[in-house]
Each structure stands twice: as C-alpha cells, then as structure tokens.
Amino acid sequence: MSEKVTSISAIQSHINNVFVHVTDLKKSVAWYADLLGITIDVSEVQSPVHNIPVTGQTGLSLDDHTFDPSFHRSPGSGPMFNVFAADIDEAYKELQGKNMKVIREIEWHGEVAWFNVEDPDGNVVMICNC
C-alpha cells in the first residue's frame, strides 16, 4: 500500500506522464495497443505525439519527434516503466503468443515477479505483478 506524501515544492511528487520516444508512431501505437490489449484505430494516429489510453493517474505518450529533426533517440538497456499483470505467468504466455520480444525471462523474488519485453524501437518495458 502506498503512503500519502505531501509535497512542499511547486513540483508535485507524482509521475504525471511517461514519454516513449519512437521512430514509427503508427507501428509503435499498434504495438503498445497490442501489449495492453486495447483497440486503437491506427489510421487516426497523427504525428508527433499519441496518448495511449491507460487507467490510473500516469499517462503514456508516444513521441516520434516529427517536428524536432535534431532529436537523437537512444533507448536504454533497462526498463523505462512497468505495467501491471496480476498473473505474471499468463501475461508471459499471452505476449509470447503475440510474438513480442521477451528480453528478460520471468524472475521471482518472494511474491514479486517480472519479465521484460522490447518494443519496436528497442525501448524496454517491464511487466510486473505488483
């Protein structure tokens, strides 16, 4: 259970939005929609940013930097964020069935488990049961 935190700064102590930098916006929107099991009409996706519909307070935006030709995309080797899956084994089987690239197998530490997948641009996303 999370603890309520009171901020004494003008900047609030919660994550508002996660930006994922991509090269092909429509392809990435389709991939994230497939990952999350949601339907998005990719024909309506327009550069440079598409907000993926998610639940909770934190948003997920894909950005292809169409209007910023000097931007250099460089994915890291670790997860940028994680998404929740109550049944980690079922989530793993589902993503394998979708031929998503698993780059780290399921790991368990006590009751906590996770695995990592890679999006079309090499960005790492963790699937976690907590």
Side-chain angles (χ1 to χ4, degrees):
M1 187 146 205
S2 63
E3 175 182 322
K4 183 171 169 113
V5 177
T6 303
S7 178
I8 59 171
S9 171
I11 299 171
Q12 298 300 302
S13 60
H14 74 268
I15 304 298
N16 189 50
N17 202 55
V18 173
F19 274 82
V20 178
H21 305 285
V22 302
T23 53
D24 184 327
L25 189 60
K26 289 184 180 200
K27 179 178 180 180
S28 293
V29 166
W31 188 90
Y32 279 91
D34 195 22
L35 173 73
L36 299 172
I38 59 178
T39 302
I40 297 176
D41 184 352
V42 178
S43 69
E44 295 181 7
V45 172
Q46 296 181 356
S47 289
V49 174
H50 184 81
N51 296 314
I52 301 292
V54 294
T55 59
Q57 291 184 341
T58 304
L60 176 59
S61 298
L62 306 183
D63 186 348
D64 70 4
H65 295 274
T66 298
F67 301 120
D68 185 6
S70 66
F71 181 80
H72 175 72
R73 191 190 64 75
S74 179
S77 59
M80 300 182 340
F81 60 91
N82 73 41
V83 292
F84 176 72
D87 185 336
I88 202 75
D89 294 312
E90 185 60 30
Y92 183 86
K93 283 186 228 174
E94 183 178 310
L95 296 189
Q96 278 192 315
K98 294 179 178 183
N99 292 318
M100 292 198 173
K101 185 176 180 181
V102 174
I103 60 168
R104 187 169 189 163
E105 297 297 320
I106 297 174
E107 291 189 35
W108 286 89
H109 289 273
E111 296 294 314
V112 177
W114 67 88
F115 66 95
N116 295 346
V117 295
E118 190 175 82
D119 81 0
D121 285 293
N123 297 306
V124 179
V125 178
M126 177 186 285
I127 314 301
C128 187
N129 70 348
C130 66

